[in-house]
């Protein structure tokens, strides 16, 4: 199993003449201890078109120093309180030295490289002088490293860059937290102010790799090493940048493509998180697949269905595979919560132990299935197809129409479909028939909500209100469906307990509570549904 280290750092420009100020007394720093000089030799790997660099990911083989080995750095959200200074937070996944990139690391970038070979792109040799900032108790707070760097191309420069120097030299300063505890951002801010007072300014490049690619003429992304390609590897388009509310209203194609690109980005970015079992990653990836599939179906007049329908089939398959893990996780949490609510005298027999065993077995099996899915050829083919769609979107003539008109029409169409299903569910006889009808309405509510989400940049506040109210309908229907699934699981657990000679009383009690909860949701639905109306969307679009 690879080691994982959270890296929170900031970089500053330096020269051979740069001298660090005395940082003693800055924030909680009580002492600055010299730790000597390290000589580091790192070879960075990427695809020929630098898909990793384009996503802000680095993969290197490094010798020298205290952490020789393979390092894969994956971006994490920026640290809070970082102010305006450049800094980045990354998870560094480490593996022992070997001649070729280790499988445990290449698996984490499979969704990025899409089968392309990982080759050396640049070599960095660094003379690092390290100082440790310590608190009054002698505990390390941060490391300040002054790096003298020599970069060299590991392969010929891309033809379109016209060659350029094969080597580059520079100096820089790294300030990296020794841990991710409280007060880390404040410490970095304080150190940054002390460096600024000494005339030391933030670095222009976000990473050594980005600067090396730019200065040796190796980069294929305009020198940044962190931009230029869409998340799945495709070209970044004009509708792909920034959050939804900030987009300028343009054509229907602009807005729909923007939403599509965002969902593809989320799927690809969450792949390593799912592999690492990070919290909520499976759920978020599954939601992105559903949003993308819904966009294809809702905006079939914007994107050619001959291209998107086959992708929709594959996205449905992927959501189903991810759902095995997610549904079990949600169900186990629901059953545990229900059991915890019962007074102890009503928890008869080894109910908690049986529930824990059932949950562990379910989790292990679901985990194996998810990893098998992400390692399979079918998933890789889907990512390749999404990459191609982002690179060359199959726009129809209607994509050129004004966004408000075209998108409002699509949302209202989904609303009418949802209204029909809700009406049918409310009229259905109680029992399995109504349960199925309510589940069908829930799926329609999701599609309608996602269509409205995509339209928010064009339709504004009325669409936001519509999304919020439709989401509430979806939540009521979702809780009802979760109750249906929970009752099936409780019956299974009760049968297992009975066969083992245990009482099934507690499972039966939980079953009855779930029945009552479902009945509450059915009574709640009409009032929640009455609040949903597409009238504001009609007024905004002018149709």
């Amino acid at each position: 199993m690879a080691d994982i280290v959270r890296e929170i750092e900031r970089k500053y420009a330096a020269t051979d003449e740069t001298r660090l100020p005395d940082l003693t007394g800055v924030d909680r720093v009580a002492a600055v201890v010299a730790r000597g000089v390290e000589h580091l030799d790192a070879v960075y790997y990427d695809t020929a078109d630098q898909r990793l660099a384009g996503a802000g990911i680095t993969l290197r083989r490094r010798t020298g120093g205290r952490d020789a080995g393979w390092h894969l750095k994956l971006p994490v959200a920026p640290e809070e309180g970082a102010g305006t200074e450049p800094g980045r937070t990354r998870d560094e996944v480490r593996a022992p030295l070997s001649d070729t990139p280790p499988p445990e690391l290449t698996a984490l970038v499979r969704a990025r490289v899409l089968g392309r070979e990982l080759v050396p792109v640049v070599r960095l040799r660094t003379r690092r002088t390290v100082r440790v900032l310590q608190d009054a108790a002698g505990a390390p707070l941060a490391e300040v490293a002054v790096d003298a760097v020599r970069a060299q191309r590991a392969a010929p420069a891309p033809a379109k860059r016209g060659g350029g120097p094969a080597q580059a030299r520079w100096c820089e300063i790294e300030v990296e937290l020794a841990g991710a505890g409280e007060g880390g951002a404040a410490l970095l801010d304080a150190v940054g102010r002390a460096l600024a007072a000494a005339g030391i300014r933030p670095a222009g490049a976000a990473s050594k790799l980005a600067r090396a690619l730019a200065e040796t003429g190796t980069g294929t992304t305009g020198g940044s090493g962190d931009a230029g390609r869409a998340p799945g590897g495709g070209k970044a388009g004009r509708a792909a940048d920034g959050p939804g509310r900030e987009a300028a209203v343009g054509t229907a194609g602009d807005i729909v493509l923007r939403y599509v690109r965002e969902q593809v980005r989320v799927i690809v970015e969450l792949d390593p998180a799912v592999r690492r079992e990070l919290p909520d990653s499976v759920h978020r990836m599954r939601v992105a697949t559903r949003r993308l599939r819904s966009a294809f179906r809702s905006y079939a007049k914007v994107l050619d269905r001959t291209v998107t329908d086959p992708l929709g089939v594959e996205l449905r398959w992927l959501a189903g595979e991810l759902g095995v893990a997610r549904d079990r996780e949600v169900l186990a949490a629901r059953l545990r919560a229900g059991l915890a609510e019962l007074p102890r005298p009503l928890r008869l027999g080894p109910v908690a132990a049986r529930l824990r065993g059932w949950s562990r077995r379910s989790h292990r099996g679901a985990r194996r299935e998810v990893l098998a899915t992400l390692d399979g050829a079918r998933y890789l083919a889907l990512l390749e197809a999404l990459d191609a769609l982002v690179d060359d979107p199959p726009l129809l003539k209607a994509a050129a129409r004004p966004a408000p008109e075209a998108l409002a029409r699509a949302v209202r169409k989904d609303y009418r479909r949802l209204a029909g299903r809700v009406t049918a569910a409310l009229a259905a006889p109680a029992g399995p028939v109504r349960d199925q009808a309510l589940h069908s309405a829930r799926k329609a509510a999701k599609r309608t909500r996602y269509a409205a989400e995509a339209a928010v940049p064009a339709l504004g506040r009325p669409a936001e209100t519509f999304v919020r109210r439709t989401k509430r309908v979806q939540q009521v229907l979702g809780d009802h469906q979760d109750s249906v699934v929970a009752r099936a699981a409780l019956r299974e657990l009760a049968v297992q307990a009975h066969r083992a000679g245990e009482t099934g009383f507690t499972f039966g009690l939980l079953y009855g509570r779930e029945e009552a909860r479902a009945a509450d949701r059915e009574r709640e639905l009409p009032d929640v549904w009455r609040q949903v109306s597409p009238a504001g969307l009609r007024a905004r679009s002018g149709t």
Side-chain angles (χ1 to χ4, degrees):
M1 182 66 180
D3 295 326
I4 300 174
V5 177
R6 176 61 56 88
E7 174 189 87
I8 304 175
E9 66 179 17
R10 296 185 190 171
K11 290 181 177 289
Y12 299 87
T15 67
D16 291 337
E17 289 75 34
T18 299
R19 295 294 179 266
L20 285 174
D22 183 6
L23 298 175
T24 306
V26 173
D27 196 60
R28 293 162 287 149
V29 179
V32 179
V33 179
R35 206 183 58 203
V37 176
E38 298 175 346
H39 294 274
L40 312 176
D41 191 343
V43 177
Y44 288 77
Y45 284 69
D46 206 334
T47 60
D49 56 353
Q50 294 174 17
R51 287 172 167 248
L52 300 187
I57 297 171
T58 61
L59 174 63
R60 72 186 179 200
R61 182 186 187 275
R62 189 164 80 179
T63 57
R66 293 161 295 128
D67 60 350
W70 284 91
H71 304 155
L72 174 66
K73 298 191 178 186
L74 300 168
V76 181
E79 77 253 34
E80 295 181 6
T84 59
E85 290 190 67
R88 59 169 51 188
T89 302
R90 297 185 290 182
D91 277 348
E92 183 175 282
V93 188
R94 299 175 178 176
L97 281 173
S98 60
D99 292 336
T100 57
E104 60 265 39
L105 300 190
T106 57
L108 295 176
V109 296
R110 185 169 291 134
R112 293 286 183 185
V113 303
L114 297 179
R116 290 157 179 80
E117 184 182 6
L118 288 167
V119 297
V121 292
V122 71
R123 179 183 183 186
L124 269 62
R125 283 171 285 186
T126 303
R127 184 181 186 275
R128 168 167 288 180
T129 304
V130 181
R131 294 170 178 84
V132 181
L133 309 185
Q134 296 180 342
D135 64 15
L141 297 171
E143 289 187 359
V144 180
V146 180
D147 291 341
V149 185
R150 289 181 296 158
Q152 181 177 11
R153 283 203 304 255
K160 68 178 181 178
R161 295 299 302 274
Q167 297 186 10
R169 292 173 179 263
W170 70 87
C171 290
E172 67 181 39
I173 297 168
E174 283 188 5
V175 183
E176 180 177 347
L177 292 181
E182 293 183 6
L187 173 63
L188 291 179
D189 285 341
V191 171
R193 288 192 294 269
L195 295 178
I200 299 172
R201 299 291 179 256
S207 68
K208 285 184 176 66
L209 176 61
R211 183 166 182 173
L213 293 175
E215 295 196 10
T216 64
T218 308
T220 63
T221 60
S224 71
D226 291 312
R229 293 190 69 83
K235 297 174 184 176
R238 59 175 174 164
D241 303 319
R245 289 296 304 277
E246 296 175 6
V249 176
T251 66
D254 290 335
I255 303 302
V256 172
L257 279 178
R258 185 188 173 139
Y259 189 77
V260 165
R261 287 185 173 114
E262 173 64 11
Q263 305 319 312
V264 174
R265 180 192 69 79
V266 171
I267 291 170
V268 173
E269 285 191 354
L270 284 173
D271 179 285
V274 171
R275 293 176 186 273
R276 294 167 55 198
E277 271 194 291
L278 296 187
D280 210 34
S281 56
V282 170
H283 171 61
R284 290 166 57 206
M285 185 185 233
R286 188 186 188 192
V287 168
T289 65
R290 286 174 164 172
R291 282 184 166 130
L292 188 54
R293 180 168 172 256
S294 292
F296 290 160
R297 298 169 72 188
S298 297
Y299 296 110
K301 293 184 180 297
V302 175
L303 296 172
D304 189 348
R305 289 189 61 175
T306 62
V307 175
T308 61
D309 277 0
L311 289 176
V313 171
E314 295 305 284
L315 288 166
R316 182 178 182 180
W317 160 77
L318 177 58
E321 294 298 309
L322 294 171
V324 173
R326 172 61 182 173
D327 290 345
R328 286 288 189 173
E329 176 186 329
V330 171
L331 177 57
R334 185 183 183 103
L335 297 183
R336 286 194 299 268
L339 182 61
E341 291 172 358
L342 288 180
R344 287 192 177 276
L346 299 181
R347 303 179 205 171
L348 304 184
V351 179
R354 181 166 292 281
L355 183 54
R356 282 195 302 270
W358 174 85
S359 180
R360 281 196 297 267
R361 289 190 299 273
S362 298
H363 175 77
R364 284 196 298 267
R367 174 71 179 160
R368 286 193 297 269
E369 291 181 26
V370 167
L371 291 178
T373 296
L374 298 187
D375 288 334
R378 185 174 181 179
Y379 171 67
L380 188 63
L382 171 58
L383 294 183
E384 289 273 16
L386 292 175
D387 196 46
L389 179 138
V390 167
D391 208 22
D392 186 19
L395 296 174
L396 298 174
K397 184 182 294 185
R401 293 175 182 166
E405 174 186 348
L407 272 58
R409 184 180 293 115
V411 175
R412 291 199 304 272
K413 181 178 179 182
D414 279 348
Y415 167 81
R416 291 192 294 271
R417 179 170 171 270
L418 169 60
R421 293 197 180 184
V422 170
T423 300
L426 292 174
V433 174
R434 183 182 295 172
D435 291 344
Q436 184 57 45
L438 290 169
H439 183 44
S440 179
R442 177 198 185 191
K443 291 187 285 187
K446 284 184 181 180
R447 173 171 163 178
T448 305
R449 170 194 163 192
Y450 295 153
E453 280 181 351
V456 165
L459 303 180
R461 193 170 300 280
E464 288 183 331
T465 300
F466 184 81
V467 168
R468 186 171 60 253
R469 292 176 178 176
T470 306
K471 182 179 179 180
R472 179 56 188 152
V473 172
Q474 177 191 329
Q475 289 171 333
V476 170
L477 293 170
D479 193 37
H480 183 278
Q481 176 61 18
D482 288 348
S483 174
V484 173
V485 175
R487 277 177 274 160
L490 288 166
R491 186 182 184 282
E492 175 188 337
L493 286 164
V495 169
Q496 292 175 3
H498 176 74
R499 288 174 177 168
E502 302 162 5
T503 177
F505 171 82
T506 302
F507 291 122
L509 184 58
L510 291 173
Y511 187 102
R513 287 192 165 201
E514 286 291 354
E515 275 190 322
R517 189 168 178 175
D520 287 343
R521 298 293 83 78
E522 291 179 25
R523 285 190 292 271
E524 184 181 2
L525 178 60
D527 288 338
V528 174
W529 171 243
R530 274 192 289 270
Q531 298 178 39
V532 181
S533 171
L537 305 181
R538 182 180 297 110
R540 176 66 180 262
S541 70
T543 62

